Amino acid sequence: MFEQYETILVAVDGSDEAELAFKKAVNVAKRNNAKLILAHIIDTRAFQTISSFDEDLAQQATDMAKKTLDELVGYANLQGLETIEPIVEYGTPKTLISRQLPDDYNVDLIMIGATGLNAVERLLIGSVSEYVIRHAHCDVLVVRTDLENKQTRE
């Protein structure tokens, strides 16, 4: 008998890379009869740069995240996946994806989109996927291709 994943985490942020990771995660969760944790993380560091914190801005970000998650859950359900848990979290995406959420939800696979950062951007701000690969205690699958396993970028 081969090892099956039981709980898969995929983080979405509205990027094309995250959408590819989500769609592949739906397929992997179906094949493994696994639970899919669908996380949208609102990076609270973005609000620290605003001189006067606006609660309406935070609420708008939360509402948009919930709307996005609802649409993705609908897609997953149409694909035949029933065990999906959408969550909105607040904090630093790198640490939430690599450590906190896997611990909180007993995740055994993280699926994440490859970033579109160039070498200079990675040097200055770091890649979320690179950080997750280095710090996660479970398997990490970085998605670089579409559902037909074709590269989406050159």
Side-chain angles (χ1 to χ4, degrees):
M1 182 157 196
F2 60 92
E3 181 71 28
Q4 284 194 297
Y5 294 109
E6 295 179 7
T7 307
I8 300 168
L9 169 65
V10 63
V12 294
D13 61 6
S15 68
D16 291 341
E17 293 84 4
E19 184 176 343
L20 288 174
F22 163 73
K23 287 180 176 179
K24 283 203 168 184
V26 168
N27 288 341
V28 173
K30 281 176 38 185
R31 283 195 308 269
N32 285 266
N33 197 27
K35 178 178 188 176
L36 183 63
I37 306 296
L38 178 59
H40 191 294
I41 299 167
I42 297 174
D43 192 341
T44 53
R45 295 171 302 173
F47 296 115
Q48 293 171 357
T49 60
I50 300 172
S51 57
S52 60
F53 181 74
D54 185 356
E55 283 187 32
D56 288 339
L57 186 59
Q59 187 59 49
Q60 287 176 0
T62 301
D63 292 344
M64 184 179 290
K66 288 179 180 177
K67 181 179 183 229
T68 299
L69 290 174
D70 287 344
E71 291 171 2
L72 295 175
V73 167
Y75 171 88
N77 290 151
L78 286 173
Q79 300 303 310
L81 185 63
E82 296 176 12
T83 312
I84 183 167
E85 184 172 347
I87 57 172
V88 177
E89 288 287 338
Y90 305 87
T92 306
K94 291 177 179 184
T95 55
L96 283 167
I97 296 167
S98 64
R99 295 287 180 98
Q100 184 179 330
L101 294 177
D103 288 347
D104 290 350
Y105 292 92
N106 199 28
V107 169
D108 50 8
L109 175 64
I110 299 169
M111 294 182 66
I112 190 165
T115 62
L117 300 178
N118 65 38
V120 174
E121 291 170 320
R122 280 193 304 273
L123 179 66
L124 295 174
I125 63 174
S127 160
V128 172
S129 56
E130 180 180 1
Y131 185 92
V132 171
I133 291 165
R134 291 182 183 268
H135 294 91
H137 294 296
C138 64
D139 289 349
V140 178
L141 189 148
V142 178
V143 176
R144 298 181 184 278
T145 59
D146 63 17
L147 290 175
E148 286 80 37
N149 292 326
K150 294 189 171 120
Q151 289 187 337
T152 58
R153 293 184 177 198
E154 294 180 22

